[in-house]
Amino acid sequence: MISDRLRNVLRSAQSVAAFTGAGISAESGVPTFRSKGGIWTKMKPEELASMDGFMKNPDLVWEWYAQRKRIMADVQPNPGHRALAQMERLFPRFAIITQNIDNLHQRAGNTVVHELHGNIERNYCMACGKRYTNEEVLASAGVPRCSACGGTIRPDVVWFGEMLPEDAWDASVRAAGSADLFLSIGTSTVVYPAASLPTIALDAGAMVVEINPETTPLTSRVDEFLQGPAGTVLPELYDAAAAARKEKA
Ligand code: APR
């Protein structure tokens, strides 16, 4: 159920930012991290998603990322991703700020996507920076080596303890700080600095709406909580926005 206040903001908003986490891709078949049965309930992030873990056991880390690359290559955007792509065409300024590395927003058609944690389709040599596609790195088993300098190749994703890409972070802070409406979708809001973005939007006066089947540490501070799966709630939100903006036109 969408409130009148949200309907009014959908009607008048010039700038919208959608902040997404693993939950939006759950209905596409991409496992989340901390929900029931999530990845980190079974495996240790420090072993699989840290430089330390990579240095200690690069074979284990590459085996895991090779599996994730194959899973993410096989999945499709779901109605939640597609609704956000449609919403991009409704508002003068619309930005996706994602913690996801699965490329599903781009594949659904969004053109403004700030990737805070990298992208599963990119890889690079840690010594010389040479870039590699998945096809190139998955061609051989084991830890791939750079053909230019022999260095170790790693996935272009952000591991725990690493800095976020500066351009994506700066653009995300600008989008959150200038939004009329900020949507927090499918994220547990426990991983920083990404999880500080809803607060930046709140402090800047945006209406902040959370979409999640479960409550999170953010829920008590948002203006509206739409409880449910993104694949159901987002198409409804799109329909309400399209209707409200049509009335206005
Ligand atoms: N629709 C919307 N939300 C959902 C759905 C769904 N269908 N299914 C699950 N969720 C919610 C869960 O309730 C949970 O709050 O999605 C959230 C997923 O939380 P996490 O698994 O913690 O994922 P995320 O917030 O993206 O994690 C942040 O942590 O491990 C690192 O780098 C990784 O980007 C990731 C970051």
Side-chain angles (χ1 to χ4, degrees):
M1 189 50 204
I2 293 172
S3 71
D4 289 343
R5 180 181 171 204
L6 178 49
R7 212 176 291 285
N8 288 335
V9 172
L10 289 169
R11 181 178 300 114
S12 61
Q14 296 300 304
S15 173
V16 177
F19 174 54
T20 66
I24 194 170
S25 298
E27 293 157 80
S28 294
V30 180
T32 65
F33 296 96
R34 294 172 190 82
S35 318
K36 201 159 158 290
I39 293 172
W40 299 145
T41 64
K42 297 178 217 157
M43 295 185 255
K44 297 198 180 90
E46 63 275 14
E47 280 181 9
L48 293 171
S50 75
M51 182 53 81
D52 205 38
F54 188 54
M55 290 294 114
K56 282 196 185 112
N57 195 340
D59 286 291
L60 173 71
V61 173
W62 258 110
E63 203 183 302
W64 187 57
Y65 275 96
Q67 186 198 16
R68 298 193 73 200
K69 286 175 185 287
R70 293 191 179 101
I71 290 171
M72 291 181 184
D74 287 346
V75 297
Q76 299 302 324
N78 64 55
H81 296 107
R82 290 198 289 275
L84 290 179
Q86 290 176 294
M87 285 174 94
E88 182 177 304
R89 297 189 283 274
L90 270 186
F91 297 96
R93 290 190 304 285
F94 188 92
I96 300 275
I97 302 168
T98 192
Q99 299 165 89
N100 300 344
I101 60 175
D102 57 31
N103 232 27
L104 289 175
H105 288 301
Q106 294 92 328
R107 286 172 54 198
N110 280 98
T111 60
V112 181
V113 181
H114 306 309
E115 295 177 309
L116 294 177
H117 295 162
N119 187 302
I120 198 80
E121 294 191 358
R122 295 194 303 258
N123 311 280
Y124 65 91
C125 169
M126 293 167 60
C128 72
K130 185 172 161 36
R131 295 198 155 274
Y132 290 85
T133 65
N134 281 352
E135 209 180 330
E136 291 166 320
V137 294
L138 295 177
S140 58
V143 177
R145 298 269 164 209
C146 179
S147 56
C149 75
T152 302
I153 298 170
R154 61 163 286 175
D156 187 6
V157 296
V158 177
W159 285 331
F160 287 98
E162 295 188 324
M163 296 286 287
L164 273 57
E166 207 173 332
D167 295 353
W169 176 247
D170 293 348
S172 300
V173 169
R174 279 196 303 276
S178 62
D180 302 310
L181 176 62
F182 184 96
L183 306 173
S184 182
I185 307 161
T187 177
S188 57
T189 66
V190 296
V191 175
Y192 285 78
S196 68
L197 290 164
T199 303
I200 292 172
L202 277 166
D203 293 350
M207 180 177 189
V208 175
V209 175
E210 185 176 38
I211 296 164
N212 198 315
E214 315 275 338
T215 59
T216 72
L218 176 68
T219 309
S220 61
R221 294 191 296 128
V222 300
D223 299 296
E224 192 147 331
F225 178 50
L226 301 177
Q227 186 155 27
T232 306
V233 174
L234 287 171
E236 289 169 6
L237 194 65
Y238 169 72
D239 292 344
R245 297 181 82 83
K246 201 160 168 215
E247 271 166 31
K248 186 184 84 168

